[in-house]
């Protein structure tokens, strides 16, 4: 039974992806977990693997196509199966379609003839016109057509010569009513088509004229049309200096997508740098937006605009925490030496302890482990902490599941492994989905303190700076001490000041008495 | 004042009024007289005008088309009815090589004021040889004029204009429209050939259609409106001459264009419209021009397959969504 393969969700915030390259072609046999294609999502270049086995009967999108989440991309079934009903379904209603490229043409025809003889019907209870029409482009069958079958529509076109498939062998409808995917322009880069490549702006004629008349610079702008074509509806966005993000309207952010980690920097700037007002000044360099960058720009803008943030900052004394960390690492080294293992013992970081501490604090103040929905506040029963990881193109937030139930060493090795795969763009969608609370740590970059943007739909994010050596007044004496500033950004619809403060007090208590982090 | 009358009545009124106005006008074709017309378009006309002006012919399109052309050359103004335009293929030589060319080839010594009319394109399960849209075969021919009305009022006004025109004019009707009712003004006279009509205002996309497909386009536009897409519908009415200005004005406004017709896709009216729009309004376009046509096969007899072959509102909706970049229908 043939079935349609839809574009799967390959990253938490994916709404569309660029199918950079198919690894299978029509007619190929596919086994479960075979690599079908590579897809550039907003997060990474992901592998799209087969969930079922069968023969790849039809590819519905070409290399380099921008594909929406859930959009049909291929049809998988048995060799020679008639896929016209599915194609009609894909084509939007009564769209007839051609037979899939058969693995072996003769087989396909035989099965067609078979279907005719046995009066096999399509999804609608009638063999769709598609099939009928398709037969017109297939060599005529010798079987006598039964009355009222699609054969009546058959045999209009000459039989194709030889075995070779025409390059474009779409359905009758495809050939007249479809706009094909834009033809490849230059060698497709791994980033897929761009609105401007090699200086050429890829825009509709109307957009070019309007841009000329209104003095809008399209260079470097990204369009929402097929293949990144800049179309009329992108004009206002480009004119206003914001990035045009592809796709029609963004999908609703339900309780589903967990997105980006948060970045202290401002969201992405203009996609199309305005020409300097003063003549003679050098033009800025335009860097086309990656899928990830577009998502960061959109989601963080939405978050900052729509989520009422407020910030609570504390300075925690962390001499004991630092000492505790050193103690743990010494113990780990000693155990490794005793076991005579070849491998280097893992090192626990302050951040690992922080993740565990936050998990424990959230278990005690569950109101901060919550998210807003228009109907209700959802208080999560699981504590899944999203940890921001900087990658070359932006940020991703792999999730440490049930962090409250894991040991610090388990959390540490998990974060190390997740971060490694994040940098290699190898994270799976589900590994970035459905966190309940985020931590963003810029300490390693020498930042003392900052305020992070909430990662929707979570209710809060903790921004952590670096450990600072500072004089501390203790019992009237100035002593050398270590401090760590952290700022909790709260969604005021979910968390009130007192609740946020309660959480931070709990966290401070844990960090200043670190043994409690592991003893609970 | 206006009356609500059927398409067939509007055509009949036009012929009767013109036959009363000008005694040179006569009607000729299979079953036009005693049978009252295969589709009852000429009902009552035999009684009204007698056998000299409402003439039943044998089944011989080439013959009576030729007689009509000869009559027109010597000063009469015949209306020739084909039982279906599919059968006009038998008379194609007469229409193409005589009617269309006589004026030019005779250096203006002969006119050919003749009207060819009859139902065109699909009906309901009349088989492949009775179902095809023939208009673009004729619309390619210089020397002919081709009209394809969608509403009774246009049918009447264009038929009157066709009868008065000194050139051969082909009136493409639709069997499925004959019983459709519409307002026709009492004082309606001639609707000039070569003028399209904007039958629905919109801002997002121009849907160009004619004959029965205008109704399909209007249904699609109503459906699109529910989804927040505002479609303008241009009813061509006349295919040759083609009213470029009305089409271009609309596309200049909407920036997108979908053409709907019952002819086959290859070299059809849609291709002609698409060419003119891209050539003359290139800078107005925000999307490729799409065509929604009957599929590229002989019409199947099977009722469901037939419906799948003929453009339906949902296919028009899907094409519009593609050009307005609304999802990937």
């Amino acid at each position: 039974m043939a079935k349609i393969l839809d574009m799967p969700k390959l990253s938490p915030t994916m709404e569309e992806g660029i199918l950079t390259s198919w690894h299978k072609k029509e007619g190929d046999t596919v086994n479960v977990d075979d690599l079908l294609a590579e897809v550039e999502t907003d997060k990474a270049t992901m592998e799209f693997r087969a969930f079922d086995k069968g023969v790849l009967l039809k590819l519905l999108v070409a290399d380099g196509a921008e594909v929406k989440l859930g959009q049909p991309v291929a049809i998988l079934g048995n060799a020679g199966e008639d896929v016209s009903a599915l194609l009609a379904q894909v084509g939007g209603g009564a769209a007839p379609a051609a037979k899939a490229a058969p693995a072996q043409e003769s087989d396909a025809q035989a099965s067609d003839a078979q279907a005719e003889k046995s009066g096999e019907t399509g999804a609608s209870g009638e063999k769709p016109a598609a099939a009928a029409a398709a037969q017109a482009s297939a060599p005529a069958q010798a079987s006598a057509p039964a009355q009222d079958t699609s054969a009546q529509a058959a045999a209009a076109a000459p039989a194709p010569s030889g075995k070779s498939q025409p390059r474009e062998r779409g359905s009758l409808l495809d050939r007249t009513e479809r706009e094909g995917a834009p033809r490849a322009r230059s060698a497709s880069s791994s980033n897929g088509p761009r609105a401007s490549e090699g200086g050429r702006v890829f825009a509709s004629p109307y957009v070019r004229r309007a841009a000329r008349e209104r003095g809008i610079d399209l260079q470097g702008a990204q369009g929402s049309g097929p293949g990144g074509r800049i179309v009329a509806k992108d004009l206002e966005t480009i004119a206003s200096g914001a990035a045009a993000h592809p796709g029609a309207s963004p999908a609703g952010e339900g309780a589903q997508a967990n997105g980006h980690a948060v970045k202290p920097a401002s969201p992405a700037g203009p996609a199309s740098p305005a020409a300097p007002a003063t003549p003679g000044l050098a033009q800025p360099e335009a860097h086309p937006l990656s899928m990830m960058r577009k998502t960061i720009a959109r989601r963080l803008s939405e978050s900052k605009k729509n989520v009422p943030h407020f910030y609570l900052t504390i300075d925690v004394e962390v001499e004991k925490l630092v000492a505790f960390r050193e103690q743990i690492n010494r113990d780990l080294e000693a155990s490794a030496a005793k076991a005579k293992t070849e491998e280097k013992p893992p090192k626990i970081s302050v951040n690992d302890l922080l993740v565990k501490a936050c998990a424990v604090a959230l278990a005690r103040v569950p109101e901060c482990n919550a998210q807003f929905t228009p109907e209700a506040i959802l208080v999560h029963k699981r504590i899944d902490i999203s940890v921001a990881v900087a990658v070359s193109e932006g940020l991703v937030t792999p999730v440490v599941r049930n962090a409250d139930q894991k040991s610090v060493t388990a959390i540490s090795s998990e974060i190390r492994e997740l971060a490694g795969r994040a940098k290699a763009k190898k994270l799976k969608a589900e590994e970035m989905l459905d966190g309940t609370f985020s931590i963003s740590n810029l300490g390693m970059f020498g930042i003392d303190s900052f305020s992070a943007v909430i990662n929707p739909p979570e209710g809060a994010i903790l921004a952590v700076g670096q450990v600072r050596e500072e004089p501390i007044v203790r019992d009237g004496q100035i002593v050398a001490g270590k401090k760590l500033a952290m700022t909790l950004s709260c969604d005021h619809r979910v968390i009130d000041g007192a609740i946020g403060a309660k959480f931070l007090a709990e966290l401070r208590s844990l960090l200043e008495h670190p043994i409690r982090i592991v003893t609970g | 004042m206006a009356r609500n009358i059927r398409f067939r009545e509007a055509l009949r009124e036009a012929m009767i009024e013109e036959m009363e106005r000008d005694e040179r006008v006569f009607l000729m074709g299979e079953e036009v007289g005693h049978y009252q017309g295969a589709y009852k378009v000429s009902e009552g006309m035999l009684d009204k005008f007698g056998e000299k002006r409402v003439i039943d012919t044998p089944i011989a399109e080439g013959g009576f088309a030729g007689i009509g052309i000869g009559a027109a050359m010597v000063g009469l103004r015949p209306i020739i009815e084909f039982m279906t335009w599919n059968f006009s293929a038998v008379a194609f030589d007469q229409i193409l090589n005589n009617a269309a060319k006589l004026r030019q080839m005779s250096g203006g010594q002969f006119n050919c004021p003749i009207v060819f009319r009859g139902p065109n394109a699909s009906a309901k399960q009349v088989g492949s040889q009775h179902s095809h849209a023939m208009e673009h075969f004729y619309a390619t021919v210089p020397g002919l004029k081709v009209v394809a009305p969608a509403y009774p009022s246009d049918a009447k006004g264009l038929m009157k204009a066709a009868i008065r025109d000194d050139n051969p004019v082909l009136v493409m009707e639709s069997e499925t429209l004959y019983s459709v009712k519409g307002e026709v003004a009492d004082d309606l006279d001639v609707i000039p050939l070569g003028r399209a009509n904007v039958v629905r205002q919109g801002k997002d996309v121009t849907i160009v259609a004619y004959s029965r497909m205008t109704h399909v386009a209007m249904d699609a536009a109503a459906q699109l409106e529910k989804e927040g897409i505002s479609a303008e519908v241009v009813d061509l009415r006349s295919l040759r001459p083609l009213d470029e200005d009305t089409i271009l004005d609309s596309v200049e406004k909407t920036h997108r264009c979908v053409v709907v017709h019952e002819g086959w896709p290859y070299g059809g009216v849609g291709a002609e419209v698409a060419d003119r729009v891209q050539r003359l309004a290139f800078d107005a376009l925000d999307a490729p021009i799409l065509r929604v046509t009957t599929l590229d096969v002989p019409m199947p007899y099977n009722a469901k397959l037939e419906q799948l072959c003929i453009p339906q509102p949902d296919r028009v909706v899907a094409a519009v969504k593609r050009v307005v970049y609304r999802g990937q229908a």
Side-chain angles (χ1 to χ4, degrees):
Chain A
M1 183 66 198
K3 59 186 288 190
I4 293 169
L5 303 184
D6 294 337
M7 173 61 81
K9 197 176 183 89
L10 297 167
S11 89
T13 48
M14 176 175 166
E15 285 171 5
E16 63 182 337
I18 295 168
L19 196 146
T20 48
S21 61
W22 281 105
H23 284 243
K24 296 276 184 188
K25 57 185 189 301
E26 287 182 6
D28 281 2
T29 302
V30 172
N31 288 312
V32 175
D33 216 32
D34 275 4
L35 179 60
L36 290 177
E38 287 192 348
V39 179
E40 187 204 338
T41 71
D42 53 336
K43 294 272 192 263
T45 299
M46 309 297 289
E47 292 177 340
F48 172 17
R49 292 186 172 274
F51 301 110
D52 291 295
K53 63 180 185 186
V55 172
L56 201 53
L57 298 174
K58 184 104 187 120
L59 300 183
L60 302 172
V61 300
D63 284 5
E66 287 198 8
V67 184
K68 297 266 181 300
L69 192 64
Q71 186 184 321
V73 293
I75 295 179
L76 189 73
N78 300 323
E81 204 172 336
D82 181 354
V83 296
S84 46
L86 289 177
L87 277 170
Q89 184 185 321
V90 169
K99 273 194 345 258
Q104 289 187 329
E105 221 163 279
S106 55
D107 284 1
Q109 286 162 33
S111 73
D112 246 32
Q114 201 69 45
E116 243 171 67
K117 281 181 198 153
S118 61
E120 195 178 295
T121 56
S124 61
E126 276 282 354
K127 203 167 177 201
Q135 293 186 25
S137 59
Q141 283 294 308
S143 62
Q147 201 174 358
D148 258 29
T149 68
S150 53
Q152 298 214 10
S161 57
K163 284 278 184 195
S164 65
Q165 292 276 351
R167 196 178 59 80
E168 276 297 332
R169 193 175 168 188
S171 68
L172 285 164
L173 192 80
D174 284 338
R175 282 179 247 155
T176 53
E177 292 175 25
R178 285 280 167 90
E179 184 204 352
R183 298 188 46 179
R185 301 180 310 284
S186 72
S188 65
S189 64
S190 61
N191 291 332
R194 291 274 171 251
S196 58
E197 285 176 350
R200 189 208 149 188
V201 171
F202 183 47
S204 77
Y206 168 65
V207 164
R208 289 164 185 275
R209 182 180 74 179
R212 212 169 37 240
E213 287 168 355
R214 295 166 55 184
I216 300 168
D217 181 11
L218 298 175
Q219 198 67 45
Q222 183 72 18
S224 66
R229 180 189 301 147
I230 305 169
V231 298
K233 68 176 181 188
D234 302 325
L235 268 174
E236 295 315 314
T237 326
I238 294 167
S240 69
H245 61 80
S249 52
E253 303 273 11
Q256 163 209 67
N258 178 350
H260 263 289
V262 189
K263 212 178 157 204
S266 59
S272 175
T278 313
L281 291 180
Q283 287 277 4
E285 199 178 286
H287 295 270
L289 297 174
S290 64
M291 298 292 276
M292 185 184 286
R293 182 54 51 195
K294 282 190 279 190
T295 305
I296 291 172
R298 181 175 56 77
R299 281 181 48 83
L300 295 190
S301 300
E302 280 169 13
S303 173
K304 200 71 176 170
K305 274 190 283 203
N306 300 330
V307 177
H309 288 60
F310 73 92
Y311 308 94
L312 301 171
T313 304
I314 54 170
D315 229 2
V316 181
E317 293 182 21
V318 289
E319 301 95 323
K320 286 181 185 169
L321 183 75
V322 171
F324 184 62
R325 171 187 168 238
E326 285 165 359
Q327 180 62 54
I328 292 174
N329 285 334
R330 276 198 303 274
D331 290 352
L332 287 170
E333 262 179 54
S335 318
K338 205 171 173 183
K340 294 191 172 127
T341 50
E342 290 291 304
E343 284 177 35
K344 255 180 99 175
K347 269 199 165 16
I348 302 295
S349 69
V350 168
N351 202 57
D352 299 334
L353 288 162
L354 266 168
V355 170
K356 177 68 179 175
C358 277
V360 175
L362 285 169
R364 293 177 189 174
V365 188
E367 302 96 314
C368 285
N369 193 41
Q371 76 179 64
F372 178 83
T373 70
E375 294 75 33
I377 303 291
L378 305 181
V379 180
H380 296 291
K381 291 185 172 171
R382 54 194 170 82
I383 296 173
D384 294 349
I385 296 190
S386 309
V387 181
V389 176
V391 295
S392 58
E393 282 189 58
L395 296 151
V396 287
T397 51
V399 180
V400 178
R401 304 273 171 213
N402 302 311
D404 57 322
Q405 296 164 32
K406 287 178 177 161
S407 68
V408 175
T409 45
I411 289 171
S412 176
S413 60
E414 194 172 325
I415 290 175
R416 195 173 309 108
E417 195 268 337
L418 287 169
R421 282 194 294 115
K423 288 188 165 76
K425 298 185 174 183
K426 294 291 179 201
L427 281 180
K428 295 192 187 83
E430 60 271 23
E431 293 176 312
M432 298 181 268
L433 277 171
D434 296 329
T436 60
F437 183 93
S438 284
I439 295 181
S440 180
N441 190 331
L442 290 175
M444 65 287 283
F445 298 105
I447 299 298
D448 285 342
S449 75
F450 70 101
S451 304
V453 181
I454 290 170
N455 180 15
E458 295 169 14
I461 180 165
L462 188 73
V464 183
Q466 67 177 343
V467 175
R468 316 184 311 275
E469 293 211 338
E470 283 188 3
I472 295 176
V473 179
R474 192 173 291 151
D475 303 329
Q477 298 294 310
I478 295 177
V479 294
K482 290 186 166 64
K483 282 197 168 183
L484 185 58
M486 44 189 72
T487 299
L488 185 70
S489 306
C490 307
D491 178 348
H492 214 320
R493 298 168 305 176
V494 186
I495 300 167
D496 298 329
I499 300 291
K502 188 176 166 190
F503 168 80
L504 286 174
E506 196 63 52
L507 185 62
R508 181 203 298 270
S509 160
L510 289 162
L511 296 175
E512 292 186 348
H513 305 90
I515 193 70
R516 291 185 196 163
I517 297 172
V518 290
T519 56
Chain B
M1 287 294 290
R3 291 158 303 118
N4 199 28
I5 61 170
R6 294 188 195 282
F7 201 97
R8 63 163 59 86
E9 292 165 338
L11 290 167
R12 187 187 310 141
E13 281 185 8
M15 291 193 290
I16 290 171
E17 285 174 21
E18 292 306 302
M19 283 170 76
E20 288 173 336
R21 201 181 67 85
D22 184 344
E23 61 180 11
R24 295 170 300 169
V25 181
F26 69 98
L27 174 66
M28 179 164 64
E30 297 156 6
E31 312 281 27
V32 297
H34 292 281
Y35 188 70
Q36 311 296 324
Y39 298 98
K40 303 296 174 257
V41 173
S42 54
E43 194 168 29
M45 286 176 69
L46 176 65
D47 292 343
K48 198 173 185 69
F49 296 104
E51 287 187 344
K52 279 200 169 177
R53 295 186 71 194
V54 179
I55 304 166
D56 279 326
T57 67
I59 302 173
E61 284 78 7
F64 63 78
I67 292 169
I69 292 165
M73 286 171 71
V74 296
L76 296 182
R77 304 183 79 85
I79 304 166
I80 304 297
E81 175 177 313
F82 291 121
M83 200 177 280
T84 154
W85 271 101
N86 287 250
F87 300 166
S88 75
V90 180
F92 192 60
D93 175 51
Q94 289 290 356
I95 301 170
L96 168 72
N97 284 317
N98 292 330
K101 299 175 180 177
L102 277 168
R103 186 173 184 151
Q104 193 247 27
M105 290 178 73
S106 69
Q109 294 177 81
F110 287 106
N111 278 350
C112 193
I114 188 169
V115 172
F116 296 99
R117 54 156 293 269
N120 179 47
S122 68
K124 278 205 165 58
Q125 284 196 276
V126 290
S128 189
Q129 292 167 328
H130 300 62
S131 300
H132 284 299
M134 304 290 288
E135 65 274 13
H136 78 270
F137 291 110
Y138 293 108
T140 62
V141 182
L144 300 179
K145 293 184 179 182
V146 183
V147 297
Y151 298 102
S153 176
D154 292 336
K156 182 172 180 180
L158 291 169
M159 179 60 80
K160 286 168 77 80
I163 295 167
R164 292 188 205 177
D165 200 286
D166 281 342
N167 300 286
V169 182
L170 285 58
V171 181
M172 305 280 183
E173 299 150 14
S174 167
E175 189 186 324
T176 49
L177 290 182
Y178 282 140
S179 55
V180 165
K181 283 187 154 184
E183 294 283 301
V184 177
D186 289 340
D187 58 353
L188 175 76
D189 193 24
V190 164
I191 291 175
L193 306 178
R195 302 250 182 102
N197 193 18
V198 179
V199 290
R200 183 192 170 109
Q201 296 281 340
K203 62 180 178 51
D204 296 330
V205 61
T206 299
I207 307 176
V208 177
Y210 55 91
S211 189
R212 191 165 75 84
M213 290 299 112
T214 299
H215 298 267
V216 169
M218 292 294 274
D219 289 349
Q223 209 170 310
L224 288 159
E225 187 176 35
K226 290 178 191 155
E227 301 188 47
I229 298 168
S230 161
E232 179 147 312
V233 179
V234 175
D235 177 17
L236 288 180
R237 300 197 292 194
S238 179
L239 309 180
R240 187 183 185 98
L242 187 65
D243 182 359
E244 270 170 10
D245 288 342
T246 300
I247 302 168
L248 297 174
D249 287 349
S250 179
V251 175
E252 282 284 353
K253 179 171 79 167
T254 65
H255 310 302
R256 294 156 207 102
C257 181
V258 170
V259 194
V260 191
H261 64 69
E262 278 202 78
W264 284 305
Y266 195 112
V269 173
E272 180 64 28
V273 171
D275 167 63
R276 297 201 200 189
V277 171
Q278 65 82 24
R279 218 161 14 89
L280 302 167
F282 181 71
D283 282 327
L285 286 173
D286 192 43
I289 304 154
L290 295 190
R291 296 178 294 152
V292 179
T293 70
T294 288
L295 298 186
D296 207 10
V297 285
M299 188 66 73
Y301 174 74
N302 176 292
K304 287 191 174 168
L305 298 184
E306 181 176 64
Q307 289 306 298
L308 286 171
C309 273
I310 301 165
Q312 305 293 343
D314 60 348
R315 269 168 60 195
V316 180
V317 165
V320 166
K321 284 184 176 173
R322 283 196 289 277
V323 301
V324 301
Y325 302 110
R326 178 76 69 88
Q328 294 293 315

